[in-house]
Amino acid sequence: MEEIHCFGIDGPNGFGHQCVFPSREGGADALAEVRSGDAVPVPDDRHGPAREWRICFHPEHTEGYR
């Protein structure tokens, strides 16, 4: 297991999607609908030493982000 993604989503009807892409032949390839409190196991992923995070938040939806 490479990592586990845990989700916290505000609001009773909020949800999101988690995509898992294979990093090797025969690896995991999945799309999951997630809600607050859900956890998605990620058995393998495309992480490596050259990984660069490019995260941004919509300017109208920044409340609650840290």
PDB file of all heavy atoms in Angstrom, residues 29-55:
ATOM      1  N   ASP A  29      -6.554   0.860 -11.352  1.00  0.00           N
ATOM      2  CA  ASP A  29      -7.142   1.875 -12.219  1.00  0.00           C
ATOM      3  C   ASP A  29      -8.595   1.992 -11.786  1.00  0.00           C
ATOM      4  O   ASP A  29      -9.408   1.118 -12.088  1.00  0.00           O
ATOM      5  CB  ASP A  29      -7.031   1.455 -13.680  1.00  0.00           C
ATOM      6  CG  ASP A  29      -7.458   2.547 -14.643  1.00  0.00           C
ATOM      7  OD1 ASP A  29      -7.778   3.666 -14.185  1.00  0.00           O
ATOM      8  OD2 ASP A  29      -7.474   2.284 -15.848  1.00  0.00           O
ATOM      9  N   ALA A  30      -8.920   3.031 -11.012  1.00  0.00           N
ATOM     10  CA  ALA A  30     -10.257   3.106 -10.427  1.00  0.00           C
ATOM     11  C   ALA A  30     -10.729   4.550 -10.298  1.00  0.00           C
ATOM     12  O   ALA A  30      -9.930   5.479 -10.237  1.00  0.00           O
ATOM     13  CB  ALA A  30     -10.248   2.455  -9.045  1.00  0.00           C
ATOM     14  N   LEU A  31     -12.038   4.721 -10.249  1.00  0.00           N
ATOM     15  CA  LEU A  31     -12.688   5.994  -9.973  1.00  0.00           C
ATOM     16  C   LEU A  31     -13.690   5.745  -8.857  1.00  0.00           C
ATOM     17  O   LEU A  31     -14.527   4.835  -8.956  1.00  0.00           O
ATOM     18  CB  LEU A  31     -13.404   6.528 -11.208  1.00  0.00           C
ATOM     19  CG  LEU A  31     -14.263   7.775 -10.998  1.00  0.00           C
ATOM     20  CD1 LEU A  31     -13.394   8.959 -10.589  1.00  0.00           C
ATOM     21  CD2 LEU A  31     -15.039   8.088 -12.256  1.00  0.00           C
ATOM     22  N   ALA A  32     -13.596   6.506  -7.776  1.00  0.00           N
ATOM     23  CA  ALA A  32     -14.489   6.307  -6.635  1.00  0.00           C
ATOM     24  C   ALA A  32     -15.194   7.607  -6.289  1.00  0.00           C
ATOM     25  O   ALA A  32     -14.581   8.674  -6.317  1.00  0.00           O
ATOM     26  CB  ALA A  32     -13.693   5.822  -5.422  1.00  0.00           C
ATOM     27  N   GLU A  33     -16.486   7.518  -5.981  1.00  0.00           N
ATOM     28  CA  GLU A  33     -17.200   8.661  -5.420  1.00  0.00           C
ATOM     29  C   GLU A  33     -16.924   8.657  -3.925  1.00  0.00           C
ATOM     30  O   GLU A  33     -17.022   7.619  -3.273  1.00  0.00           O
ATOM     31  CB  GLU A  33     -18.699   8.541  -5.669  1.00  0.00           C
ATOM     32  CG  GLU A  33     -19.469   9.723  -5.131  1.00  0.00           C
ATOM     33  CD  GLU A  33     -20.944   9.624  -5.414  1.00  0.00           C
ATOM     34  OE1 GLU A  33     -21.335   9.771  -6.594  1.00  0.00           O
ATOM     35  OE2 GLU A  33     -21.708   9.393  -4.451  1.00  0.00           O
ATOM     36  N   VAL A  34     -16.562   9.810  -3.378  1.00  0.00           N
ATOM     37  CA  VAL A  34     -16.210   9.893  -1.961  1.00  0.00           C
ATOM     38  C   VAL A  34     -17.067  10.937  -1.256  1.00  0.00           C
ATOM     39  O   VAL A  34     -17.486  11.920  -1.860  1.00  0.00           O
ATOM     40  CB  VAL A  34     -14.710  10.215  -1.766  1.00  0.00           C
ATOM     41  CG1 VAL A  34     -13.847   9.087  -2.284  1.00  0.00           C
ATOM     42  CG2 VAL A  34     -14.341  11.523  -2.442  1.00  0.00           C
ATOM     43  N   ARG A  35     -17.306  10.667   0.014  1.00  0.00           N
ATOM     44  CA  ARG A  35     -18.041  11.585   0.883  1.00  0.00           C
ATOM     45  C   ARG A  35     -17.224  11.775   2.157  1.00  0.00           C
ATOM     46  O   ARG A  35     -16.243  11.075   2.380  1.00  0.00           O
ATOM     47  CB  ARG A  35     -19.421  11.031   1.183  1.00  0.00           C
ATOM     48  CG  ARG A  35     -20.252  10.906  -0.095  1.00  0.00           C
ATOM     49  CD  ARG A  35     -21.679  10.525   0.168  1.00  0.00           C
ATOM     50  NE  ARG A  35     -22.406  10.341  -1.078  1.00  0.00           N
ATOM     51  CZ  ARG A  35     -22.980  11.315  -1.774  1.00  0.00           C
ATOM     52  NH1 ARG A  35     -22.906  12.547  -1.348  1.00  0.00           N
ATOM     53  NH2 ARG A  35     -23.627  11.053  -2.895  1.00  0.00           N
ATOM     54  N   SER A  36     -17.629  12.720   2.969  1.00  0.00           N
ATOM     55  CA  SER A  36     -16.874  13.021   4.185  1.00  0.00           C
ATOM     56  C   SER A  36     -16.719  11.773   5.046  1.00  0.00           C
ATOM     57  O   SER A  36     -17.673  11.035   5.274  1.00  0.00           O
ATOM     58  CB  SER A  36     -17.579  14.113   4.975  1.00  0.00           C
ATOM     59  OG  SER A  36     -16.723  14.626   5.960  1.00  0.00           O
ATOM     60  N   GLY A  37     -15.495  11.519   5.495  1.00  0.00           N
ATOM     61  CA  GLY A  37     -15.186  10.366   6.321  1.00  0.00           C
ATOM     62  C   GLY A  37     -14.717   9.161   5.537  1.00  0.00           C
ATOM     63  O   GLY A  37     -14.264   8.185   6.123  1.00  0.00           O
ATOM     64  N   ASP A  38     -14.824   9.202   4.202  1.00  0.00           N
ATOM     65  CA  ASP A  38     -14.371   8.081   3.380  1.00  0.00           C
ATOM     66  C   ASP A  38     -12.852   8.054   3.288  1.00  0.00           C
ATOM     67  O   ASP A  38     -12.183   9.077   3.409  1.00  0.00           O
ATOM     68  CB  ASP A  38     -14.924   8.182   1.951  1.00  0.00           C
ATOM     69  CG  ASP A  38     -16.405   7.853   1.863  1.00  0.00           C
ATOM     70  OD1 ASP A  38     -16.965   7.371   2.859  1.00  0.00           O
ATOM     71  OD2 ASP A  38     -16.992   8.083   0.780  1.00  0.00           O
ATOM     72  N   ALA A  39     -12.327   6.864   3.060  1.00  0.00           N
ATOM     73  CA  ALA A  39     -10.895   6.674   2.821  1.00  0.00           C
ATOM     74  C   ALA A  39     -10.746   5.781   1.592  1.00  0.00           C
ATOM     75  O   ALA A  39     -11.489   4.816   1.436  1.00  0.00           O
ATOM     76  CB  ALA A  39     -10.230   6.025   4.020  1.00  0.00           C
ATOM     77  N   VAL A  40      -9.797   6.135   0.712  1.00  0.00           N
ATOM     78  CA  VAL A  40      -9.548   5.355  -0.497  1.00  0.00           C
ATOM     79  C   VAL A  40      -8.115   4.830  -0.432  1.00  0.00           C
ATOM     80  O   VAL A  40      -7.173   5.620  -0.394  1.00  0.00           O
ATOM     81  CB  VAL A  40      -9.736   6.205  -1.766  1.00  0.00           C
ATOM     82  CG1 VAL A  40      -9.377   5.424  -3.010  1.00  0.00           C
ATOM     83  CG2 VAL A  40     -11.165   6.724  -1.860  1.00  0.00           C
ATOM     84  N   PRO A  41      -7.927   3.510  -0.402  1.00  0.00           N
ATOM     85  CA  PRO A  41      -6.571   2.957  -0.439  1.00  0.00           C
ATOM     86  C   PRO A  41      -5.978   3.111  -1.828  1.00  0.00           C
ATOM     87  O   PRO A  41      -6.666   2.904  -2.823  1.00  0.00           O
ATOM     88  CB  PRO A  41      -6.764   1.484  -0.076  1.00  0.00           C
ATOM     89  CG  PRO A  41      -8.174   1.186  -0.430  1.00  0.00           C
ATOM     90  CD  PRO A  41      -8.941   2.463  -0.304  1.00  0.00           C
ATOM     91  N   VAL A  42      -4.715   3.505  -1.888  1.00  0.00           N
ATOM     92  CA  VAL A  42      -4.019   3.680  -3.165  1.00  0.00           C
ATOM     93  C   VAL A  42      -2.839   2.708  -3.169  1.00  0.00           C
ATOM     94  O   VAL A  42      -1.804   2.986  -2.571  1.00  0.00           O
ATOM     95  CB  VAL A  42      -3.537   5.136  -3.346  1.00  0.00           C
ATOM     96  CG1 VAL A  42      -2.843   5.317  -4.677  1.00  0.00           C
ATOM     97  CG2 VAL A  42      -4.715   6.102  -3.220  1.00  0.00           C
ATOM     98  N   PRO A  43      -3.004   1.542  -3.814  1.00  0.00           N
ATOM     99  CA  PRO A  43      -1.954   0.528  -3.771  1.00  0.00           C
ATOM    100  C   PRO A  43      -0.691   0.926  -4.534  1.00  0.00           C
ATOM    101  O   PRO A  43       0.401   0.510  -4.199  1.00  0.00           O
ATOM    102  CB  PRO A  43      -2.605  -0.700  -4.387  1.00  0.00           C
ATOM    103  CG  PRO A  43      -3.724  -0.177  -5.199  1.00  0.00           C
ATOM    104  CD  PRO A  43      -4.171   1.100  -4.555  1.00  0.00           C
ATOM    105  N   ASP A  44      -0.849   1.698  -5.568  1.00  0.00           N
ATOM    106  CA  ASP A  44       0.305   2.230  -6.308  1.00  0.00           C
ATOM    107  C   ASP A  44      -0.140   3.513  -6.988  1.00  0.00           C
ATOM    108  O   ASP A  44      -1.313   3.746  -7.188  1.00  0.00           O
ATOM    109  CB  ASP A  44       0.853   1.225  -7.332  1.00  0.00           C
ATOM    110  CG  ASP A  44      -0.215   0.717  -8.297  1.00  0.00           C
ATOM    111  OD1 ASP A  44      -1.361   1.187  -8.271  1.00  0.00           O
ATOM    112  OD2 ASP A  44       0.110  -0.155  -9.089  1.00  0.00           O
ATOM    113  N   ASP A  45       0.805   4.375  -7.286  1.00  0.00           N
ATOM    114  CA  ASP A  45       0.468   5.667  -7.870  1.00  0.00           C
ATOM    115  C   ASP A  45       1.674   6.183  -8.630  1.00  0.00           C
ATOM    116  O   ASP A  45       2.757   5.618  -8.553  1.00  0.00           O
ATOM    117  CB  ASP A  45       0.052   6.641  -6.764  1.00  0.00           C
ATOM    118  CG  ASP A  45      -0.839   7.765  -7.283  1.00  0.00           C
ATOM    119  OD1 ASP A  45      -0.999   7.880  -8.503  1.00  0.00           O
ATOM    120  OD2 ASP A  45      -1.359   8.523  -6.454  1.00  0.00           O
ATOM    121  N   ARG A  46       1.499   7.267  -9.324  1.00  0.00           N
ATOM    122  CA  ARG A  46       2.578   7.828 -10.148  1.00  0.00           C
ATOM    123  C   ARG A  46       3.422   8.821  -9.372  1.00  0.00           C
ATOM    124  O   ARG A  46       3.746   9.892  -9.846  1.00  0.00           O
ATOM    125  CB  ARG A  46       1.978   8.508 -11.381  1.00  0.00           C
ATOM    126  CG  ARG A  46       1.289   7.532 -12.291  1.00  0.00           C
ATOM    127  CD  ARG A  46       0.648   8.243 -13.446  1.00  0.00           C
ATOM    128  NE  ARG A  46      -0.120   7.279 -14.210  1.00  0.00           N
ATOM    129  CZ  ARG A  46      -0.029   7.132 -15.504  1.00  0.00           C
ATOM    130  NH1 ARG A  46       0.766   7.887 -16.195  1.00  0.00           N
ATOM    131  NH2 ARG A  46      -0.756   6.237 -16.121  1.00  0.00           N
ATOM    132  N   HIS A  47       3.763   8.483  -8.172  1.00  0.00           N
ATOM    133  CA  HIS A  47       4.618   9.360  -7.372  1.00  0.00           C
ATOM    134  C   HIS A  47       6.080   8.993  -7.598  1.00  0.00           C
ATOM    135  O   HIS A  47       6.416   7.855  -7.828  1.00  0.00           O
ATOM    136  CB  HIS A  47       4.294   9.217  -5.890  1.00  0.00           C
ATOM    137  CG  HIS A  47       2.929   9.705  -5.554  1.00  0.00           C
ATOM    138  ND1 HIS A  47       2.415   9.611  -4.297  1.00  0.00           N
ATOM    139  CD2 HIS A  47       1.958  10.284  -6.295  1.00  0.00           C
ATOM    140  CE1 HIS A  47       1.196  10.116  -4.276  1.00  0.00           C
ATOM    141  NE2 HIS A  47       0.904  10.521  -5.487  1.00  0.00           N
ATOM    142  N   GLY A  48       6.897   9.994  -7.504  1.00  0.00           N
ATOM    143  CA  GLY A  48       8.322   9.764  -7.675  1.00  0.00           C
ATOM    144  C   GLY A  48       9.104  10.969  -7.241  1.00  0.00           C
ATOM    145  O   GLY A  48       8.532  11.967  -6.811  1.00  0.00           O
ATOM    146  N   PRO A  49      10.407  10.939  -7.356  1.00  0.00           N
ATOM    147  CA  PRO A  49      11.226  12.055  -6.880  1.00  0.00           C
ATOM    148  C   PRO A  49      10.978  13.355  -7.633  1.00  0.00           C
ATOM    149  O   PRO A  49      11.224  14.424  -7.113  1.00  0.00           O
ATOM    150  CB  PRO A  49      12.662  11.563  -7.096  1.00  0.00           C
ATOM    151  CG  PRO A  49      12.557  10.417  -8.025  1.00  0.00           C
ATOM    152  CD  PRO A  49      11.188   9.847  -7.879  1.00  0.00           C
ATOM    153  N   ALA A  50      10.451  13.281  -8.849  1.00  0.00           N
ATOM    154  CA  ALA A  50      10.226  14.496  -9.641  1.00  0.00           C
ATOM    155  C   ALA A  50       8.807  15.026  -9.489  1.00  0.00           C
ATOM    156  O   ALA A  50       8.402  15.925 -10.203  1.00  0.00           O
ATOM    157  CB  ALA A  50      10.518  14.214 -11.109  1.00  0.00           C
ATOM    158  N   ARG A  51       8.042  14.500  -8.532  1.00  0.00           N
ATOM    159  CA  ARG A  51       6.646  14.927  -8.377  1.00  0.00           C
ATOM    160  C   ARG A  51       6.591  16.401  -8.016  1.00  0.00           C
ATOM    161  O   ARG A  51       7.323  16.884  -7.159  1.00  0.00           O
ATOM    162  CB  ARG A  51       5.969  14.106  -7.296  1.00  0.00           C
ATOM    163  CG  ARG A  51       4.545  14.567  -7.050  1.00  0.00           C
ATOM    164  CD  ARG A  51       3.775  13.657  -6.162  1.00  0.00           C
ATOM    165  NE  ARG A  51       4.381  13.456  -4.865  1.00  0.00           N
ATOM    166  CZ  ARG A  51       3.783  12.855  -3.874  1.00  0.00           C
ATOM    167  NH1 ARG A  51       2.592  12.377  -4.032  1.00  0.00           N
ATOM    168  NH2 ARG A  51       4.401  12.695  -2.724  1.00  0.00           N
ATOM    169  N   GLU A  52       5.693  17.103  -8.663  1.00  0.00           N
ATOM    170  CA  GLU A  52       5.495  18.525  -8.394  1.00  0.00           C
ATOM    171  C   GLU A  52       4.017  18.758  -8.131  1.00  0.00           C
ATOM    172  O   GLU A  52       3.165  18.372  -8.927  1.00  0.00           O
ATOM    173  CB  GLU A  52       5.935  19.350  -9.593  1.00  0.00           C
ATOM    174  CG  GLU A  52       5.750  20.829  -9.413  1.00  0.00           C
ATOM    175  CD  GLU A  52       6.206  21.616 -10.627  1.00  0.00           C
ATOM    176  OE1 GLU A  52       6.984  21.082 -11.431  1.00  0.00           O
ATOM    177  OE2 GLU A  52       5.758  22.754 -10.766  1.00  0.00           O
ATOM    178  N   TRP A  53       3.686  19.370  -6.984  1.00  0.00           N
ATOM    179  CA  TRP A  53       2.293  19.659  -6.661  1.00  0.00           C
ATOM    180  C   TRP A  53       1.875  20.941  -7.352  1.00  0.00           C
ATOM    181  O   TRP A  53       2.558  21.947  -7.280  1.00  0.00           O
ATOM    182  CB  TRP A  53       2.133  19.814  -5.154  1.00  0.00           C
ATOM    183  CG  TRP A  53       2.315  18.547  -4.411  1.00  0.00           C
ATOM    184  CD1 TRP A  53       3.451  18.097  -3.819  1.00  0.00           C
ATOM    185  CD2 TRP A  53       1.334  17.528  -4.227  1.00  0.00           C
ATOM    186  NE1 TRP A  53       3.239  16.870  -3.261  1.00  0.00           N
ATOM    187  CE2 TRP A  53       1.945  16.493  -3.492  1.00  0.00           C
ATOM    188  CE3 TRP A  53      -0.002  17.391  -4.601  1.00  0.00           C
ATOM    189  CZ2 TRP A  53       1.267  15.344  -3.124  1.00  0.00           C
ATOM    190  CZ3 TRP A  53      -0.669  16.246  -4.236  1.00  0.00           C
ATOM    191  CH2 TRP A  53      -0.038  15.239  -3.501  1.00  0.00           C
ATOM    192  N   ARG A  54       0.740  20.916  -7.997  1.00  0.00           N
ATOM    193  CA  ARG A  54       0.159  22.109  -8.630  1.00  0.00           C
ATOM    194  C   ARG A  54      -1.280  22.224  -8.136  1.00  0.00           C
ATOM    195  O   ARG A  54      -2.205  21.823  -8.826  1.00  0.00           O
ATOM    196  CB  ARG A  54       0.206  22.002 -10.143  1.00  0.00           C
ATOM    197  CG  ARG A  54       1.616  22.016 -10.665  1.00  0.00           C
ATOM    198  CD  ARG A  54       1.632  21.943 -12.159  1.00  0.00           C
ATOM    199  NE  ARG A  54       2.998  21.978 -12.611  1.00  0.00           N
ATOM    200  CZ  ARG A  54       3.407  22.703 -13.617  1.00  0.00           C
ATOM    201  NH1 ARG A  54       2.577  23.428 -14.300  1.00  0.00           N
ATOM    202  NH2 ARG A  54       4.675  22.681 -13.960  1.00  0.00           N
ATOM    203  N   ILE A  55      -1.420  22.748  -6.938  1.00  0.00           N
ATOM    204  CA  ILE A  55      -2.727  22.845  -6.306  1.00  0.00           C
ATOM    205  C   ILE A  55      -3.154  24.296  -6.271  1.00  0.00           C
ATOM    206  O   ILE A  55      -2.371  25.181  -5.930  1.00  0.00           O
ATOM    207  CB  ILE A  55      -2.672  22.293  -4.861  1.00  0.00           C
ATOM    208  CG1 ILE A  55      -2.288  20.819  -4.881  1.00  0.00           C
ATOM    209  CG2 ILE A  55      -4.010  22.485  -4.162  1.00  0.00           C
ATOM    210  CD1 ILE A  55      -2.036  20.237  -3.517  1.00  0.00           C
TER     211      ILE A  55
END
